[in-house]
Amino acid sequence: AIDDGTDEGAAVADDDEPPAAFPRECADMPALVAAVRDGSFRPSMPDRWHRYAHRRWERTPPIVPSAEGEPGRCDIDRVPAKELTPDAFKRVYLEQRPVIIVNATDFTEFQAMTAKSVILYCYADYDVTLSTANKNSYAKTEASLRYYVENMIKPTTLDASGVGSKYFFGDNRHSEWDALFKHYRRPAQYIWSHTSLSFGVGGSGSGVPFHTHGHVFAEVFHGRKRWFLQAPGPEPRFDPDESSLRWATLVAPSLPESDRARILECVCDPGDLLYIPGHWHHSTLNIGETVFMSAFV
């Protein structure tokens, strides 16, 4: 997310392509994806499909190589779902400590539905709410998904501030996204209550600084996400208006050893479901263009 130069609260200007109707085949996302895979897809809006058909989420790493973290480091328990019973999850992790559950659901269908070509074909002209990428994300703006993806998710630079960067995460209009969201598979074996979904897309090096909220399950479908977590209590040392990239590359390595020892980190890939207990401090850093969902419990 790069500062687009607009005033806080102002709408982001779009280019001159008029809004288009929701392509009728997007109402049945599984059928659309299956047709794309087998080559039988016949778009109702062929010019629109031609524009997006070959788009792929970029895997470009952050501009600072160290932002990807120490290879192989993961301070959080990683447990295959087949080895973690619901009772064990409740006894060991629920509202106690974080865990990464591997292959909790079959995520591949939703991954295909959120391919860059598919999601732009279906939702390019839908407005999304952008938040500033600082601790409390106070300022909100709007842009079409197409404008955001094509103009605002270039790799974050070290001089970009969190308060000056715009980030698409949450504030989703669920009625507009229902054709997609209804196919998201919640990890039903670990969630027993209502969940609120927050969907987002971020550029390489984007993310949000440390913040807290209730417990949540989070996963990525494209790209990778580096997480930093600290148990409830005093906040980690950070500037709430500074970018995650700057904190991870310039601040974190210089923290006293006692501070660094309290911070857990790990990189999550598609297929990893991260559970974060309530009130744990956490910060994120996207590696490559990243598509993700969080289920707040």
Side-chain angles (χ1 to χ4, degrees):
I2 305 296
D3 185 357
D4 63 354
T6 60
D7 294 332
E8 291 185 358
V12 177
D14 207 340
D15 60 30
D16 58 1
E17 180 178 87
F22 188 65
R24 63 175 180 268
E25 56 270 37
C26 295
D28 187 348
M29 296 289 280
L32 186 159
V33 167
V36 170
R37 281 175 173 160
D38 67 20
S40 64
F41 183 48
R42 298 296 179 265
S44 61
M45 297 181 177
D47 290 344
R48 183 179 175 122
W49 177 247
H50 179 73
R51 177 174 181 171
Y52 300 124
H54 301 292
R55 301 284 182 91
R56 301 290 184 272
W57 295 113
E58 298 289 341
R59 297 183 179 182
T60 308
I63 62 171
V64 182
S66 62
E68 295 190 70
E70 181 182 335
R73 176 179 175 179
C74 187
D75 306 320
I76 302 168
D77 288 355
R78 253 187 135 91
V79 185
K82 63 184 180 182
E83 298 177 10
L84 184 64
T85 66
D87 285 344
F89 171 74
K90 293 170 72 173
R91 185 178 66 255
V92 179
Y93 298 107
L94 184 65
E95 289 289 31
Q96 298 174 68
R97 57 193 177 109
V99 60
I100 296 170
I101 308 170
V102 182
N103 293 327
T105 63
D106 180 1
F107 67 94
T108 56
E109 182 180 42
F110 198 80
Q111 184 184 57
M113 293 177 191
T114 53
K116 197 172 192 176
S117 56
V118 173
I119 202 169
L120 283 174
Y121 178 68
C122 292
Y123 289 98
D125 296 307
Y126 279 62
D127 284 341
V128 296
T129 300
L130 310 179
S131 304
T132 50
N134 58 332
K135 178 181 177 181
N136 295 302
S137 302
Y138 288 125
K140 308 287 185 180
T141 60
E142 290 196 349
S144 69
L145 179 65
R146 171 175 48 80
Y147 186 90
Y148 174 71
V149 169
E150 293 182 349
N151 298 280
M152 300 179 68
I153 63 169
K154 298 176 178 65
T156 299
T157 59
L158 276 176
D159 60 355
S161 69
V163 72
S165 301
K166 305 298 190 298
Y167 192 53
F168 169 37
F169 176 48
D171 292 305
N172 308 124
R173 298 176 179 88
H174 285 252
S175 60
E176 296 180 356
W177 289 83
D178 181 65
L180 174 65
F181 286 4
K182 68 184 179 182
H183 297 291
Y184 173 68
R185 296 190 178 186
R186 294 169 172 81
Q189 67 271 45
Y190 306 118
I191 297 180
W192 301 273
S193 59
H194 172 74
T195 56
S196 175
L197 300 180
S198 287
F199 177 73
V201 176
S204 193
S206 64
V208 291
F210 285 102
H211 59 287
T212 63
H213 44 63
H215 57 161
V216 64
F217 292 86
E219 60 184 313
V220 297
F221 300 97
H222 302 274
R224 309 170 73 214
K225 190 179 287 282
R226 187 180 177 190
W227 290 87
F228 303 91
L229 295 90
Q230 183 170 302
E235 286 186 332
R237 299 191 192 191
F238 77 107
D239 179 340
D241 292 330
E242 188 172 51
S243 73
S244 293
L245 178 67
R246 190 172 182 84
W247 182 86
T249 56
L250 299 180
V251 178
S254 66
L255 291 174
E257 178 59 34
S258 57
D259 286 22
R260 294 202 303 273
R262 288 194 292 268
I263 298 172
L264 308 179
E265 69 168 270
C266 194
V267 174
C268 286
D269 297 284
D272 292 339
L273 178 71
L274 172 63
Y275 169 72
I276 305 174
H279 309 297
W280 274 65
H281 306 281
H282 56 282
S283 175
T284 61
L285 180 65
N286 294 315
I287 301 172
E289 294 181 349
T290 307
V291 180
F292 45 92
M293 181 78 87
S294 289
F296 292 87
V297 183

